Amino acid sequence: MNLMLHDTLTGDKRPFVPIDPGRVTMYVCGPTVYNYAHIGNFRPVVVFDLLFRVLRHIYGADAVVYAANVTDVDDKINAKAAQEGVPISVITGRYLDAYHADSAALGALRPTFEPRATETIDAIVAMIGRLVGNNAAYAAEGHVLFDTQAYADYGGLSGRSMDDMIAGARVDVAPYKRHPADFVLWKPSKPGEPEWPSPWGPGRPGWHIECSAMIEQTLGLPIDIHGGGIDLVFPHHENERAQGLCADHATSYANYWLHNGFLTFGEEKMSKSLGNVVLAHDLVKKVPGEVVRWALLSGHYRQPLDWTGDLLAQAQRSLDRLYGALRRAADLETGGGEPTAAFLEALGDDLNTPRAFAELFALAKTLETSTDAAERAAAKSALLAAGALMGFLQVDPDAWFEGGADEALKAKVEGLLKTRFEARKAKDWATADEIRDELNALNVVVMDGPDGATWRLKETT
Ligand code: AMP
Ligand code: ZN
């Protein structure tokens, strides 16, 4: 399988060539755990999980090393801990657990490493020391700042001029800064906030240096792929790159920079500060995680994706169609299959998920319409293999259509359906209607088919 990736740094799409095919490295900026993450935060989780799966398919599961960090010290975390009167670890533990549960519900594999800022302080302090030693950073009034004037290619990733960067970052003009674009590597903590010792006084790291040090510690520099949302290109990734290159006098920090587009809601970026958020944590209680995953992958990852009720309904219908085809072909024996070349080509083209989905539908159609048993069996096994690669279609099709119901509800519905069947057989329409109303009240949709009735829960969004 060939893989082409679009690189933000060069602005082109080119074949992916890893530094070492026996150890392919990918890093993605993860969450700041002070609250439940919204569904926009899960777009990079799902997009880069898909890329992780594709890389594992090509290079082998053991040859891909994926690190996604957890920012577990930050102003917002400190504020929340102070508000609740608990240590920051209580806050970060609570929201990291929820983040893991919600990521798993969306079918995301756990990254190989999940480094935490608070566990990387030694490496951070060491990296800052190297930057100071290389004259790329300077200490002033308890702070250490990166010297943007010392690095000629500052702005190279985001393609911005120094004036744009100063305006765009709304940088603080502080008396201890030599240049307004200089950014913090180390800063003193406010009273009561967590702090660590350092050669420049007690304090805590800036956000950007955390990622550079975590990458160096878990993966080693340079890495093959660096990912994140498009909002991170500047200043976060620009600064990460500047730090990483200047600390080691290196020429490459990451060979491919990938950025997912925004998830929008009502035409605005979904964000906590705008207050227009849908929490994945709430959503996965109402809708199968697989439906949410499908919705998140239904547009190309670099394009904006507007989050609407229709998007979810469409995702549910798409998966129902594929699971329906698999259910009707339940008796068809298959061996282990491989995804088709057309499917792999679609994913290999910078993760073209809309085209990959179209290939899944084409396989389902062959499965439903072909009169050749061998062709149908091949289509079924290719559909299952392609689904597995993308993190879909691994549930038993019968269970899919009954998904979301707890055991007590299942038993009740099965009982009602049995009574309804008897009533209809006896032409007792009044009882049959009554039961239909009761099922309706339970949010159950009944589908009468040639092999008897099946049922599922109505969507509740
Ligand atoms: P944050 O917790 O805000 O640092 O975000 C975590 C990740 O989610 C980063 O990679 C962000 O770029 C990404 N992200 C945040 N909001 C959105 C959004 N509305 N659409 C897509 N990605 C987002
Ligand atoms: Zn980062």
Side-chain angles (χ1 to χ4, degrees), residues 29-32 38 40-41 43-44 228-232 260-263 269-270:
C29 299
T32 304
H38 61 71
N41 297 131
R43 190 171 190 200
I230 187 86
D231 52 335
L232 298 186
N260 65 270
F262 282 142
L263 187 122
K269 177 195 173 192
M270 185 180 282

Side-chain angles (χ1 to χ4, degrees), residues 87-130:
I88 61 168
S89 58
V90 172
I91 301 296
T92 55
R94 181 194 307 156
Y95 294 111
L96 185 57
D97 285 350
Y99 183 79
H100 282 150
D102 299 337
S103 298
L106 299 187
L109 305 172
R110 275 293 267 275
T112 325
F113 298 113
E114 283 190 308
R116 301 198 190 185
T118 55
E119 291 166 5
T120 319
I121 301 290
D122 289 350
I124 293 171
V125 169
M127 196 174 213
I128 297 174
R130 268 160 38 226

